[in-house]
Amino acid sequence: MLRQQDVGHRIVVRRIVGIREGRPLFSDALGDLVELSETHITLVTDGGPLRVPVGEVHRAKRVPPARRPTAVAVVDLESASDEAWPAPVRGRLGDWRLRSAAGWTGRANSALPIGDPDRPLPAALDAVQRWYADLGQPALVNTPLPLAAPVGAELDARGWTARPPVLVQTVPLTTLTAPPPTAAPPPVAPAVTDLPPVALAVAPTDDWLAIAADRKGGLPEAARHVLTAVDRIRFAELRVDGRLLAVGRGTVTGGGRWLGVSLLEVLPEARRHGYAAAVVRALAGWAAAEGATRAFLQVEQRNIGAVALYHRLGFTTHHTYLTRVAP
């Protein structure tokens, strides 16, 4: 059967749809798992969302994606992501990237082992631990999978633990900039004309930063560098009667090809009104005008609500990563 680790991935479900002459009748469904609860499995198929009661499930399992990304594609996307979330303190170990931002977020405080570290793997990991020890920080390694599976195996042998899996998801910008459906069930969001406008600025306002600080547990000086030290960047705001209800951050990196969406947040009392989708589309329109062609974001696999939202917007999982923590 399925586990929470399968949320966000492609699955097949064989379900019982009836009984004929004393024998069960089965039907198979293939799609992306967006919710797994004690009572239901929800997946999005080519025909739309399908919610299957657990009692009707005969068999369910994860299946490989229709296409596995190449190593070159993973490196390209991880490099664009690294540019979009720039740590103020950086080092190199051959092609590997070492990053520190005073402990603010795992992405900005972890080694990124893509490419050749110019030394045997055990020696490379020893050097990573020394680099972080010199900064007085715990050593973290961000392992994109399956590209960094050999690194992960060595870390397993050393007793490193893993934080919850993260999905790296992508979508063509043309999907995000197309007019949202208004009649097809279920709609992605209300029509754009029914929503408040989204303002884009080159610097964050104080109340934008306040929402980000609340989500991330504060904003040290290193965090402000991570948030703002990108050449092509926009901070999105959606306000109603002057009150900031939804925010987002967009960057264009990776040689101008990639829009990175991050810090998408809607205040709890303003959710389920299509505001998050409106913010993403506004950033997509800006990035398309900048010449970008695809968007990416990173979301924890266990964040079921966000995974479902991004699926409705057209995002699919490109690859996953684990943040590994030294014992």
Side-chain angles (χ1 to χ4, degrees):
M1 287 295 290
L2 300 170
R3 300 173 297 170
Q4 287 298 330
Q5 296 96 306
D6 298 312
V7 173
H9 294 275
R10 196 167 180 82
I11 66 165
V12 62
V13 176
R14 171 159 290 188
R15 59 194 178 109
I16 302 169
V17 294
I19 303 291
R20 179 183 295 168
E21 297 178 353
R23 294 187 173 185
L25 300 176
F26 299 105
S27 176
D28 291 340
L30 180 68
D32 293 331
L33 179 64
V34 296
E35 184 177 10
L36 178 62
S37 72
E38 294 181 357
T39 58
H40 287 81
I41 291 173
T42 304
L43 65 159
V44 179
T45 71
D46 289 342
L50 177 64
R51 194 163 185 256
V52 183
V54 169
E56 296 179 6
V57 177
H58 176 67
R59 187 177 294 122
K61 64 178 182 179
R62 190 196 295 193
V63 297
R67 181 183 303 170
R68 176 173 287 187
T70 65
V72 171
V74 173
V75 169
D76 174 69
L77 184 46
E78 285 292 329
S79 297
S81 174
D82 180 50
E83 294 174 41
W85 202 252
V89 179
R90 303 179 67 88
R92 299 289 291 213
L93 198 65
D95 296 327
W96 287 18
R97 306 171 193 199
L98 309 176
R99 309 171 293 190
S100 173
W104 192 76
T105 77
R107 271 184 286 167
N109 291 274
S110 57
L112 180 60
I114 55 176
D116 183 357
D118 282 345
R119 65 205 70 194
L121 179 56
L125 293 175
D126 290 342
V128 167
Q129 288 195 269
R130 286 194 300 270
W131 193 83
Y132 284 101
D134 289 345
L135 293 174
Q137 290 184 223
L140 304 177
V141 176
N142 197 340
T143 55
L145 299 173
L147 179 68
V151 177
E154 177 67 21
L155 295 175
D156 288 340
R158 293 176 177 227
W160 289 47
T161 56
R163 291 180 179 174
V166 173
L167 310 178
V168 182
Q169 300 196 314
T170 65
V171 67
L173 280 187
T174 51
T175 300
L176 295 178
T177 56
T182 57
V188 170
V192 171
T193 53
D194 297 333
L195 293 166
V198 176
L200 301 180
V202 296
T205 59
D206 289 343
D207 43 0
W208 193 104
L209 291 171
I211 290 177
D214 184 64
R215 175 175 171 179
K216 294 292 188 180
L219 287 180
E221 191 59 35
R224 293 176 182 265
H225 178 96
V226 173
L227 290 175
T228 61
V230 181
D231 290 339
R232 289 194 276 180
I233 190 168
R234 290 295 184 272
F235 296 87
E237 294 187 347
L238 186 150
R239 296 177 182 269
V240 174
D241 296 329
R243 186 182 179 212
L244 184 59
L245 297 181
V247 300
R249 174 182 176 270
T251 55
V252 171
T253 59
R257 298 184 302 276
W258 287 101
L259 163 68
V261 178
S262 59
L263 286 172
L264 181 65
E265 185 74 13
V266 180
L267 296 188
E269 64 271 24
R271 291 172 185 167
R272 306 189 69 81
H273 293 290
Y275 293 166
V279 167
V280 172
R281 290 198 180 97
L283 291 170
W286 163 72
E290 291 283 311
T293 57
R294 295 187 67 82
F296 74 88
L297 53 78
Q298 298 172 337
V299 57
E300 280 198 4
Q301 184 174 267
R302 63 185 178 179
N303 190 345
I304 295 171
V307 171
L309 165 67
Y310 299 143
H311 191 284
R312 291 195 297 271
L313 289 172
F315 283 89
T316 58
T317 298
H318 184 272
H319 64 277
T320 64
Y321 74 75
L322 294 174
T323 299
R324 305 299 302 268
V325 183

